[in-house]
Amino acid sequence: MKKAVIAASACFVAGLIGCTISLPMVAKDVIHLYNDTVSETTNFYTTQDLPAGITELRMVNQDTMGMSLVEVRQSPDDQIHLQVYRSEFSGFDAEIVTEGNKAEIILKEVPSQNLQISKELLVELIRDGIHSQNNLILEVPKTVSLTSSETDGVYFGVDGGVEFVNSQLVHNYGYVPSENQNWKIQYEESLSQIEQLEYQVEELTQENRMLQEELESLYEDSEETDIIVSPSGEMTIEEPLESNETIFPSDIIQKETELSKQRDMFKEWKISKDDYIRTLNSMSRDISNARQQQVIQAGREDVLPMVEETADLILEYNRIDAQILNAQRDYNEGFITQEQYNSIVQSYETSIRSMSEQINVWKTSLKEQGYDWDSAVVTPNL
């Protein structure tokens, strides 16, 4: 928040400098106005006190698109206090609704007025620039929980030292993440873990290549190896296609079919999630490499970038699909409730639908350019 205040102040000062350059005749007056306004001791905030005994507070901004910053401070007593700054340019009306120990503050942004240039307007403009980052100040006691989620249009700026029941959670996110948002956060953390695992796999693969060269093994100079888990649980290594071998459509279709079988095994709990994710990443890279070699051998480097992008997007789609399959397995086994399962699916629904539509668009575009993705048939340059 401090960085935001500094940035806003810098922009405001730049505006004043621009004003003095554009209107040199009033430069001195503007500077005097600014200095006088900064030195003002008048309190331009309206304070609203909530009843004592409130332990749960939700703030909702009904008008603003995006998030409105609410600066959170420690209350000097056992009550909640809301300070609202109002000017000719900005401000909020706050309606307070209470029920038992719960309260809701409904914010409505007050539209700015059409004003004419004047000295009073300049004073108001300077004052508004100074207070623009903390139009809303919320003072809370230690016994209060803030319950606004990411959909309520407010972002709580909590500095160190301010204490309330869920202060650490709100400090980390600026709000209380909803269940769908929590699943999204967990998914993003899972993706980060997958990236770390991929990096480790790359390191191990490099070590394996060095050993293969030293032992003059049959897999010398291979790019990747696929670890295949059979229904009985046995793990085997499939030799990859050599870069100088001709890639046929049947080679790619065979690998796609094998990957589909791995998905079915995961869905039926014959392999673990970790094993499936490792296999998915490894085989997807091998299939992508084979497709790239195929179009290069056909002299179709012009479609190579889109082939790479489509393969990457399909891999991302399959990773989300794995999360949904895992949730389906957990629900079938009774580890999670129907409501929890529905929340997981809903958190991924928009992303997976968007990816599916984009994949179909790119497949259609590739087919028009001479590469049929589903049949892995490429029209060579003659």
Side-chain angles (χ1 to χ4, degrees), residues 4-244:
V5 172
I6 293 172
S9 300
C11 292
F12 181 63
V13 171
L16 286 178
I17 293 173
C19 179
T20 60
I21 293 173
S22 301
L23 303 172
M25 297 297 294
V26 298
K28 292 182 179 180
D29 289 338
V30 170
I31 293 173
H32 287 311
L33 284 174
Y34 177 80
N35 291 334
D36 291 343
T37 305
V38 169
S39 62
E40 284 180 342
T41 59
T42 306
N43 184 7
F44 294 95
Y45 288 86
T46 300
T47 301
Q48 295 176 257
D49 302 324
L50 276 69
I54 298 297
T55 58
E56 291 187 23
L57 174 65
R58 179 188 179 194
M59 292 188 70
V60 180
N61 185 0
Q62 292 187 339
D63 295 335
T64 301
M65 296 294 291
M67 293 284 193
S68 290
L69 176 64
V70 179
E71 181 180 348
V72 182
R73 298 178 181 175
Q74 199 73 63
S75 175
D77 50 39
D78 293 332
Q79 285 184 258
I80 302 171
H81 311 281
L82 175 65
Q83 298 184 42
V84 181
Y85 175 81
R86 286 286 300 275
S87 74
E88 301 293 340
F89 306 100
S90 63
F92 292 88
D93 281 335
E95 177 187 354
I96 298 175
V97 180
T98 61
E99 182 179 351
N101 66 332
K102 298 181 179 180
E104 184 172 290
I105 299 176
I106 302 173
L107 301 172
K108 295 183 179 180
E109 193 168 10
V110 178
S112 60
Q113 302 179 14
N114 294 323
L115 304 172
Q116 295 181 346
I117 299 266
S118 65
K119 178 180 178 180
E120 290 75 17
L121 178 64
L122 289 175
V123 170
E124 195 68 28
L125 177 61
I126 295 170
R127 187 183 298 130
D128 190 73
I130 295 171
H131 296 283
S132 62
Q133 289 298 316
N134 53 355
N135 283 341
L136 299 165
I137 301 174
L138 183 69
E139 298 179 344
V140 295
K142 297 180 180 180
T143 55
V144 168
S145 294
L146 300 181
T147 61
S148 301
S149 72
E150 70 277 1
T151 62
D152 289 329
V154 294
Y155 183 95
F156 296 107
V158 184
D159 285 339
V162 179
E163 297 181 21
F164 49 95
V165 174
N166 57 345
S167 56
Q168 188 59 52
L169 178 65
V170 177
H171 173 77
N172 291 340
Y173 297 102
Y175 47 80
V176 179
S178 64
E179 186 174 5
N180 284 348
Q181 183 73 359
N182 272 324
W183 284 115
K184 181 179 180 181
I185 292 170
Q186 292 178 22
Y187 167 67
E188 291 173 350
E189 290 176 349
S190 298
L191 286 183
S192 178
Q193 294 174 1
I194 289 173
E195 290 176 357
Q196 294 178 6
L197 289 173
E198 288 179 342
Y199 178 74
Q200 295 174 7
V201 169
E202 290 295 336
E203 286 187 329
L204 292 173
T205 300
Q206 183 63 30
E207 293 178 5
N208 183 51
R209 288 175 184 168
M210 294 174 64
L211 290 173
Q212 288 173 344
E213 291 175 359
E214 292 174 359
L215 297 173
E216 296 182 350
S217 68
L218 296 175
Y219 301 103
E220 184 178 2
D221 295 328
S222 63
E223 293 184 359
E224 299 285 347
T225 57
D226 288 338
I227 301 176
I228 309 300
V229 184
S230 67
S232 63
E234 297 180 354
M235 299 180 68
T236 58
I237 297 178
E238 181 183 89
E239 184 177 0
L241 292 167
E242 297 292 340
S243 59
N244 58 351

